[in-house]
Amino acid sequence: MKIATTTGDFSRYFYSDVERIKELYDAGFRYIDLDLYDVDKVNKVYSDESWLDEVNKLKDIASELGVTFVQAHCPGTSGYDPIIKNEKWNDYFKATVRSIEICGKLGIKNTVIHGGMVRGIDKFEWQKKNAEFISLLIPYLEDCKVNLLIENSTAKNTYDIYYPNSGKDLREFIDFVNHERVGACWDTGHANCEGSQYDEILALGDKLLAIHYNDNHGNLDEHLIPYFGTLNHDEVLLALKKVNFNGYFTLECMATLINDRGFPHSRRKFDCDSKLNKAPLFMQRELEKLLYNTAKYILETHNLLEE
């Protein structure tokens, strides 16, 4: 497997994706997961008037540095929901379509999306409503030659709202949608909050097209660097081997440092001063190098590393 990570690692320090990519390159990464999670940013930076110019900037920096875009994340559902038709729905849909178009222009084969959630519906109703939303995206996926990957979650995030948190349920939904452009992304941090994940990965089988690899302590979705939490790395690597996973080892560990505001932790406030609230950039840069070397160690140990 080749090592990739998300531009979201530097989202707290740089608004520009070009600057974020430069930082990842300096840390050793040559394969990039483009974080398009911010709905407002996608609708603003990659707007109708200027989006191709912005995408060309990404192409230029990738060519200059010799890095490759291999994965992306669709706009997120924080404050938005694809299955609730409210005043925010059009903004979310527009941003999601644009993110798929960006993937098409950059040659990104797989992009990850969160399903919608609403309290009080059962599994079948969840499947039906989310499949209806995905059906609206299918023409764009086909035109741009992009796969849409549904991600598992955890009850630590969804509480009493139904969401496919297991490999079995995630596979069942993908089979329900039944389209060649729809697959699965397995998030190891979400799964670590649920418990053992070897059999869950096996349940996904050939529908598993991408991963989000991150750690936590099993109680919160913390997005930590491997070994900063309790994730059993051998379990995950052996399961990936078993299903013949041939995607990228894509890291999603952007919240190892706690800042003044963030999920799932925020720094305690003190009204008199705030100069030390934000973790300094040099710490993130050092952690990014550690992240790359740790991922390299994990893959080398199981003879899975590809340069």
Side-chain angles (χ1 to χ4, degrees):
M1 275 181 268
K2 296 174 180 178
I3 302 170
T5 195
T6 171
T7 53
D9 289 354
F10 284 93
S11 62
R12 294 167 173 171
Y13 301 94
F14 300 98
Y15 190 69
S16 162
D17 286 320
V18 168
E19 293 303 317
R20 295 175 183 181
I21 291 163
K22 289 178 182 178
E23 294 290 337
L24 299 184
Y25 176 84
D26 287 343
F29 292 96
R30 299 296 179 264
Y31 300 97
I32 307 297
D33 176 1
L34 183 62
D35 178 14
L36 297 169
Y37 192 85
D38 186 337
V39 173
D40 294 334
K41 178 180 176 179
V42 174
N43 280 337
K44 185 181 295 183
V45 177
Y46 301 102
S47 64
D48 291 337
E49 296 78 16
S50 63
W51 77 281
L52 285 176
D53 291 338
E54 293 299 325
V55 170
N56 284 332
K57 290 178 185 178
L58 299 183
K59 285 184 177 180
D60 289 344
I61 193 63
S63 176
E64 176 187 332
L65 298 178
V67 300
T68 304
F69 294 103
V70 297
Q71 198 167 308
H73 202 307
C74 281
T77 51
S78 300
Y80 299 85
D81 198 293
I83 62 174
I84 299 177
K85 283 288 192 74
N86 57 21
E87 68 280 358
K88 292 184 175 183
W89 189 89
N90 285 332
D91 286 340
Y92 175 77
F93 182 73
K94 177 183 174 183
T96 302
V97 169
R98 180 49 45 85
S99 73
I100 293 169
E101 292 171 334
I102 292 168
C103 288
K105 294 296 182 182
L106 294 175
I108 297 174
K109 186 177 180 180
N110 296 318
T111 187
V112 179
I113 193 170
H114 294 174
M117 296 186 297
V118 60
R119 196 176 302 277
I121 62 174
D122 60 17
K123 180 168 71 173
F124 177 74
E125 191 67 16
W126 185 94
Q127 291 178 340
K128 180 182 175 183
K129 288 180 178 296
N130 277 280
E132 287 172 354
F133 177 76
I134 290 173
S135 71
L136 301 176
L137 301 176
I138 292 296
Y140 302 98
L141 297 171
E142 292 177 336
D143 184 56
C144 297
K145 298 179 173 58
V146 175
N147 298 322
L148 188 71
L149 309 186
I150 318 303
E151 182 176 2
N152 61 304
S153 190
T154 169
K156 302 294 183 180
N157 290 346
T158 60
Y159 307 103
D160 61 342
I161 302 174
Y162 173 77
Y163 196 94
N165 299 331
S166 69
K168 177 178 177 293
D169 275 13
L170 189 52
R171 173 77 188 228
E172 185 179 325
F173 175 62
I174 293 165
D175 289 341
F176 180 85
V177 175
N178 191 28
H179 192 280
E180 62 180 359
R181 287 287 174 195
V182 179
C185 172
W186 188 252
D187 188 297
T188 63
H190 295 166
N192 194 50
C193 290
E194 294 294 300
S196 176
Q197 52 190 301
Y198 182 84
D199 290 338
E200 305 300 336
I201 294 173
L202 264 57
L204 289 172
D206 60 351
K207 298 300 182 182
L208 180 60
L209 302 183
I211 61 171
H212 284 163
Y213 201 92
N214 59 93
D215 209 336
N216 57 50
H217 294 92
N219 298 311
L220 288 170
D221 181 23
E222 296 172 290
H223 288 274
L224 304 178
I225 289 175
Y227 289 103
F228 280 50
T230 61
L231 178 68
N232 190 301
H233 305 288
D234 294 303
E235 176 184 24
V236 176
L237 270 292
L238 289 174
L240 293 176
K241 279 185 182 181
K242 186 73 172 179
V243 298
N244 297 313
F245 176 70
N246 62 1
Y248 290 84
F249 193 74
T250 304
L251 299 151
E252 198 181 50
C253 309
M254 62 284 197
T256 300
L257 289 179
I258 297 173
N259 280 292
D260 52 343
R261 295 185 304 277
F263 177 85
H265 303 292
S266 295
R267 196 171 307 286
R268 182 178 291 113
K269 292 183 179 180
F270 177 61
D271 292 336
C272 295
D273 205 338
S274 61
K275 287 193 290 292
L276 297 176
N277 263 7
K278 184 177 180 179
L281 176 59
F282 79 83
M283 288 187 68
Q284 183 61 43
R285 284 173 170 163
E286 291 301 317
L287 279 175
E288 204 68 19
K289 295 174 187 175
L290 176 63
L291 176 62
Y292 177 79
N293 288 324
T294 302
K296 189 174 180 181
Y297 165 76
I298 289 171
L299 292 178
E300 283 178 336
T301 301
H302 280 275
N303 299 311
L304 289 171
L305 179 66
E306 297 178 61
E307 297 290 354

